[in-house]
Amino acid sequence: MNIDARIDRRRRGDDGQRLVRDYTAIAPTAHADEPVDRGPTLERILDHLDPAFEGTIPPNAYVHGPAGSGKSAVVTALFDRLRRTSAETRTGIHTSTRAVPTTLPQFVRVDMRETTSAFGFYRAVLDGVVEESVPGHGVSTDELRDRLRETLTGTPGAVVAVDHVDDPEADDRPDPVELFAGLPSNASWLAVGRTPPAETSLSEYTATTLAVDRYRQQILVDILTSRASSGLARGALDHSLARRIAEWADGDAHDALTVLFVAAVRADREGGTRLSEADVNAAIAEMPEPCAALGRVLALQDNRRAVLRALVTLDEDERASVTETTEAIAADPDVDLSAGTVKRFLYELAEAGIIARVRAEEASGRGRPPSRVELRFPPTAFRRLDDLRE
């Protein structure tokens, strides 16, 4: 965390007894400007990108590691910084061995959670390399590709970081390899995903694969206390509770921060001034196994998030089957969708692992037993984060 921010927070004082100062600071979907304990990973990525500082495009690469290991945090922070450096210093940088300024390529980051079509992908890349706005409709995918190629012609090119390349989505999601093949010849990509290199075709087109390991427990404690120091009242998170969360999370920063976030929402709602063991235990109990990344859930289109907002308000009886769940959601006045559309969305969300259809253990009568609907994300975190988006 930034030292100036720590000092500024203390200068502002306690602001009464308010527990949560800044929900964004503790949100599991937000990345820190300076990721904790990822210096070696950052250096390895910079080593790979080193040709860019000489004015040439580095080869393709694949960054991989388990969920919650900080891959996105590192790549997001690095590419945001590199993009600003490239824009601000078009005359380049100097080194001890070279006094001649070098123009850097452009650095662009695309999140495949938010870009689920070829059109959206090339539009996001083009939007990252031009200053003017890029149309969201009225042009074809081929036109966007052509404009991207024309924009980069005669320049040092671009390096495109593509995050979440292997998140499970709908069947019609474009193949990342095909998307990357449509990039200009002076653009390379750095893909980020969970799949081991031996199990993805991406590794066939990369010169380098960079592994990111799970966080050690003490590092997770540091991440939790740093976030709590930034977003909660002073002393709100006891060190023993931070250790409890870190031990439970088993190296997954997303899950650890989600528990912190849910515990803070619960405590704040009850008027607490610090997190208690009961708050943390209740937050852990709310975490499903497996748990979908909240970033994926919040990246859904508005109508699908509306279905989920209605879904999290239903009790177990109303989720006893897909049909009952569909009827209850379609009857919600805030969901302006037909029952058929709601049911289709539920099946799509189940296919993506955001909800689950769990077959009932006992069937009444003949025929296939009904499938109850279960969440694969903590509802407290989803509701609060979705409210913050509004």
Side-chain angles (χ1 to χ4, degrees):
M1 175 186 171
N2 186 284
I3 294 177
D4 291 337
R6 289 178 181 267
I7 296 172
D8 184 58
R9 186 180 70 82
R10 291 177 179 269
R11 289 181 62 193
R12 292 196 304 267
D14 283 341
D15 189 25
Q17 296 297 313
R18 185 178 179 184
L19 172 63
V20 180
R21 309 291 186 77
D22 183 0
Y23 273 112
T24 302
I26 59 172
T29 53
H31 297 308
D33 291 336
E34 299 287 344
V36 176
D37 192 53
R38 283 299 178 245
T41 298
L42 182 65
E43 286 297 327
R44 283 185 289 140
I45 297 176
L46 280 170
D47 285 344
H48 169 75
L49 297 175
D50 199 53
F53 302 109
E54 301 288 339
T56 60
I57 294 297
N60 304 325
Y62 178 48
V63 178
H64 63 95
S69 58
K71 307 179 299 296
S72 296
V74 171
V75 171
T76 299
L78 177 59
F79 269 67
D80 284 350
R81 192 71 56 83
L82 288 173
R83 181 177 183 180
R84 292 197 299 270
T85 300
S86 177
E88 293 170 359
T89 59
R90 285 304 179 189
T91 55
I93 60 174
H94 299 273
T95 69
S96 59
T97 59
R98 184 188 66 244
V100 179
T102 300
T103 302
L104 301 179
Q106 299 200 59
F107 293 88
V108 182
R109 178 181 172 272
V110 177
D111 192 340
M112 292 301 289
R113 287 175 175 167
E114 302 171 357
T115 306
T116 57
S117 67
F119 178 90
F121 175 76
Y122 295 115
R123 181 179 183 275
V125 177
L126 180 60
D127 188 58
V129 299
V130 298
E131 294 184 2
E132 63 271 21
S133 62
V134 179
H137 52 81
V139 295
S140 68
T141 300
D142 288 340
E143 288 176 303
L144 288 177
R145 255 195 314 252
D146 290 343
R147 185 178 171 192
L148 177 60
R149 188 174 296 107
E150 292 170 1
T151 300
L152 293 181
T153 297
T155 75
V159 183
V160 184
V162 187
D163 203 358
H164 305 116
V165 293
D166 54 1
D167 271 7
E169 292 290 348
D171 293 337
D172 59 352
R173 175 178 175 170
D175 181 359
V177 172
E178 295 180 3
L179 292 179
F180 299 163
L183 291 172
S185 58
N186 62 339
S188 67
W189 47 265
L190 181 122
V192 184
R194 301 179 188 175
T195 308
E199 299 175 18
T200 175
S201 59
L202 286 172
S203 59
E204 299 175 17
Y205 303 90
T206 59
T208 305
T209 58
L210 304 168
V212 183
D213 297 326
R214 284 184 175 274
Y215 284 105
R216 290 176 287 125
Q217 182 174 320
Q218 184 54 49
I219 300 305
L220 271 188
V221 172
D222 292 343
I223 291 172
L224 291 166
T225 54
S226 176
R227 291 289 195 100
S229 176
S230 179
L232 302 180
R234 192 181 309 172
L237 177 64
D238 185 79
H239 192 73
S240 63
L241 291 180
R243 289 200 308 271
R244 163 91 168 94
I245 297 172
E247 181 179 0
W248 171 84
D250 191 27
D252 189 326
H254 170 273
D255 286 0
L257 289 169
T258 301
V259 167
L260 174 65
F261 188 86
V262 172
V265 172
R266 294 177 65 93
D268 193 47
R269 191 168 55 203
E270 297 299 323
T273 58
R274 57 186 295 122
L275 303 188
S276 68
E277 185 176 359
D279 294 323
V280 170
N281 288 339
I284 290 175
E286 193 175 312
M287 295 289 289
E289 176 57 42
C291 181
L294 285 164
R296 288 181 55 214
V297 182
L298 294 168
L300 293 169
Q301 294 177 337
D302 291 347
N303 51 12
R304 287 164 176 78
R305 293 205 323 278
V307 168
L308 291 180
R309 286 191 68 91
L311 176 61
V312 299
T313 66
L314 304 181
D315 58 34
E316 289 192 14
D317 291 341
E318 293 174 301
R319 293 190 282 109
S321 70
V322 173
T323 299
E324 292 176 77
T325 304
T326 298
E327 293 173 352
I329 293 175
D332 191 311
D334 292 329
V335 179
D336 187 21
L337 299 169
S338 68
T341 300
V342 170
K343 178 173 282 190
R344 175 167 61 85
F345 284 177
L346 290 175
Y347 279 107
E348 290 176 357
L349 293 167
E351 183 69 22
I354 291 172
I355 63 174
R357 294 164 50 221
V358 180
R359 183 170 296 183
E361 295 181 359
E362 297 182 2
S364 58
R366 296 181 179 181
R368 179 181 298 179
S371 298
R372 69 180 185 274
V373 177
E374 293 188 353
L375 305 178
R376 284 290 177 259
F377 58 89
T380 298
F382 166 70
R383 282 195 298 261
R384 190 70 188 95
L385 289 169
D386 201 45
D387 287 343
L388 291 172
R389 285 167 57 101
E390 299 299 327

